[in-house]
Amino acid sequence: MLKIECIIKPSRMDELREALVEHGIKGMTAWEVKGFGRQKGHKELYRGSEYDVLFIPKILVMIVIDESQAEEVVELIQKATRTGTSGAIGDGKIFLSPIKETVRIRTGETGRDAV
């Protein structure tokens, strides 16, 4: 099994959720987070004063899948979250990590059955 974590723009969350559900992914967890990468923040105007926003709002999504689904799920995430803005940065990142074991608390099921 693999854990996929992706950091995406908040505006792409609905598209990602719909794509994962259509693909048969049964669950996901999402957090509102803030961070920066190559985007390095931006300037905003508030009541006539300009200020720096150093941490950009993002969504961190976590799903656990069978390893055999990895390539197609990563591709699906890219398609659902890519903004298509040529040359623009900030669409996010995808991280894959191995999962040693999974246990469903309610039933005690383990492995794939617990996902």
Side-chain angles (χ1 to χ4, degrees), residues 28-98:
M28 64 185 284
T29 302
W31 297 266
E32 292 180 2
V33 297
K34 292 182 180 184
F36 70 91
R38 291 185 185 171
Q39 217 170 353
K40 294 184 179 87
H42 63 273
K43 295 191 182 302
E44 287 195 7
L45 197 61
Y46 180 72
R47 295 187 177 184
S49 297
E50 193 175 86
Y51 66 98
D52 291 322
V53 176
L54 301 177
F55 290 91
I56 307 297
K58 300 287 182 173
I59 302 286
L60 172 61
V61 176
M62 181 188 72
I63 60 175
V64 177
I65 60 166
D66 188 79
E67 199 167 339
S68 64
Q69 298 175 289
E71 190 174 323
E72 61 185 313
V73 171
V74 167
E75 207 170 285
L76 178 138
I77 293 168
Q78 286 179 302
K79 286 180 184 175
T81 59
R82 184 177 291 135
T83 60
T85 312
S86 180
I89 57 176
D91 281 352
K93 298 263 187 321
I94 302 171
F95 306 97
L96 287 79
S97 306

